[in-house]
């Protein structure tokens, strides 16, 4: 509850071919780890998206060096203001059963690596002790296709209504998401944190 979640989506991103549930799992695992890296302190986890052109030299320095093809890649980056990692921790981060938690299993990031590898993607990590971390997951883009948020409106809800709804939740992200959904259905929404 002491961690604030920020979103920084790109206004337009290239299209990728992938399994939505597996990519969702990547995001969940990375956000969970970022939140745990902050620990009991207040901090921020940021989810960013974007696109970048990657050459062969750049891709060889990533955590998935499987002779990836250079070109345009869409990325999701999860960054945190947590404790950060030294070089030794970065080297074993994706090893199965490696964990820094007393009762942890260590399979979350190993699963992330497997999913990214199966999507012919790559992972980069920027981190320093006491300065936080940023993990960028890259997926090859389908050349020539782009999704622009402003060009494709959300579908209309299956039903609409009216009235006033009070939404109470101590997590800001849940309040915002629920408020937006309820407003799309025609409700006037009041929110409260307690």
């Amino acid at each position: 509850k002491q961690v604030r979640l920020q979103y920084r989506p790109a206004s337009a991103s290239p299209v990728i071919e992938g399994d939505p549930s597996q990519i969702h799992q990547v995001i969940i695992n990375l956000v969970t780890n970022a939140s745990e890296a902050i620990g009991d302190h207040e901090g921020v986890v940021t989810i960013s998206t974007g696109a970048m052109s990657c050459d062969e030299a750049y891709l060889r320095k990533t955590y998935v060096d499987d002779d990836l093809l250079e070109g345009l890649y869409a990325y999701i980056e999860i960054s945190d203001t947590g404790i950060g990692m030294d070089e030794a921790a970065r080297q074993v981060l994706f090893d199965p059963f490696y964990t820094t938690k007393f009762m942890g299993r260590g399979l979350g990031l190993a699963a992330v690596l497997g999913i990214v590898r199966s999507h012919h993607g790559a992972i980069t990590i920027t981190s320093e002790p006491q300065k936080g971390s940023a993990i960028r997951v890259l997926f090859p883009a389908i050349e020539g296709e782009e999704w622009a948020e402003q060009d494709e409106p959300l579908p209309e809800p299956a039903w609409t209504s009216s009235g006033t709804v009070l939404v109470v939740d101590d997590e800001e992200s849940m309040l915002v998401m629920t408020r937006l959904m309820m407003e799309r259905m025609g409700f006037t929404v009041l929110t409260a944190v307690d």
Side-chain angles (χ1 to χ4, degrees), residues 4-89:
R4 189 164 42 96
L5 190 59
Q6 285 185 341
Y7 301 99
R8 291 190 180 146
S11 60
S13 296
V15 173
I16 66 166
E17 183 176 344
D19 181 327
S21 63
Q22 287 187 346
I23 293 172
H24 180 257
Q25 189 63 50
V26 166
I27 295 168
I28 293 294
N29 286 351
L30 292 177
V31 168
T32 299
N33 278 357
S35 177
E36 289 172 353
I38 294 171
D40 295 330
H41 307 288
E42 288 190 5
V44 179
V45 173
T46 305
I47 303 173
S48 306
T49 63
M52 62 186 291
S53 185
C54 299
D55 62 16
E56 193 176 313
Y58 178 85
L59 292 169
R60 256 187 276 154
K61 295 176 188 173
T62 66
Y63 279 82
V64 183
D65 181 16
D66 290 343
D67 296 322
L68 300 172
L69 299 175
E70 56 183 36
L72 185 64
Y73 282 73
Y75 70 80
I76 302 168
E77 182 174 278
I78 312 295
S79 60
D80 65 68
T81 58
I83 59 172
M85 295 176 278
D86 59 17
E87 180 61 29

Side-chain angles (χ1 to χ4, degrees), residues 95-108 110:
D95 290 355
F97 306 109
Y98 169 76
T99 183
T100 58
K101 297 183 283 295
F102 177 68
M103 294 294 288
R105 296 184 313 273
L107 293 174

Side-chain angles (χ1 to χ4, degrees), residues 80-150:
D80 65 68
T81 58
I83 59 172
M85 295 176 278
D86 59 17
E87 180 61 29
R90 287 194 302 271
Q91 292 302 317
V92 296
L93 189 63
F94 297 103
D95 290 355
F97 306 109
Y98 169 76
T99 183
T100 58
K101 297 183 283 295
F102 177 68
M103 294 294 288
R105 296 184 313 273
L107 293 174
L109 290 181
V112 165
L113 185 64
I115 292 168
V116 172
R117 182 170 273 139
S118 73
H119 284 78
H120 307 289
I123 300 173
T124 64
I125 298 175
T126 307
S127 185
E128 288 183 50
Q130 308 310 316
K131 293 189 177 178
S133 301
I135 298 180
R136 181 172 285 191
V137 179
L138 300 125
F139 297 101
I142 299 173
E143 294 287 346
E145 295 200 32
E146 186 174 276
W147 175 80
E149 187 175 1
Q150 65 272 21

